[in-house]
Amino acid sequence: MFNFSKDNVENTTDRLAKKSDQAIEQIAAQVKSTANELLDAVNDTADNTQDKAKELIHTLKSNLDRLTSEESAASIASDLSSKAGRVKEQVQREVSDTYHTIKDKTVDTVQEHPLGTVLVAAGVGLLIGYLLGTKRGE
């Protein structure tokens, strides 16, 4: 059944030691292979990330340079100044036209109805005087 002789135990121990050494070497090789694969994957990911980051930084610098260039700022300021000048001229024309229209209508009304104009002016004066007088009496 069981042979516990010295030679047999030594042979069995040697066989087991060799098998355990082989198993350890296989496990070590697998761990080393897996570690190398993981390192390669990390390096690839890092390289891709670094490339993307460099590309984004380059794009940002380019956009910043374009937006802050003196020509761009001067061009924007010139456009704004030009547009403001056109708006100012248009508003001045419209105000002047409106003023002349109201003035002409008022002159025409006074010339066509002088008595009515005097009565309306007197009525407005009395109304304003009454309103101001009641506020003083309070």
Side-chain angles (χ1 to χ4, degrees), residues 41-101:
V42 168
N43 285 335
D44 289 345
T45 302
D47 290 343
N48 289 338
T49 303
Q50 185 178 16
D51 291 343
K52 288 179 183 178
K54 284 180 181 178
E55 183 180 326
L56 286 172
I57 289 170
H58 176 71
T59 302
L60 287 172
K61 283 182 180 179
S62 174
N63 288 340
L64 186 60
D65 289 343
R66 183 176 49 83
L67 290 173
T68 59
S69 71
E70 289 181 21
E71 293 175 9
S72 178
S75 173
I76 290 170
S78 175
D79 288 347
L80 287 175
S81 176
S82 174
K83 288 177 182 177
R86 286 193 300 265
V87 168
K88 177 186 170 192
E89 290 172 2
Q90 183 178 0
V91 167
Q92 283 177 336
R93 270 194 312 272
E94 289 179 14
V95 167
S96 177
D97 291 346
T98 303
Y99 169 76
H100 289 296
T101 302

Side-chain angles (χ1 to χ4, degrees), residues 108-121:
D108 290 343
T109 303
V110 169
Q111 288 176 352
E112 290 175 11
H113 309 287
L115 183 58
T117 305
V118 170
L119 291 175
V120 168

Side-chain angles (χ1 to χ4, degrees), residues 3 9 16 20 25 29 34 39 42 54 72 80 91 98 102 108 110-111 127 135:
N3 185 0
V9 171
L16 289 174
S20 67
E25 287 175 8
T34 302
L39 181 62
V42 168
K54 284 180 181 178
S72 178
L80 287 175
V91 167
T98 303
I102 291 173
D108 290 343
V110 169
Q111 288 176 352
L127 180 64
K135 287 192 177 191

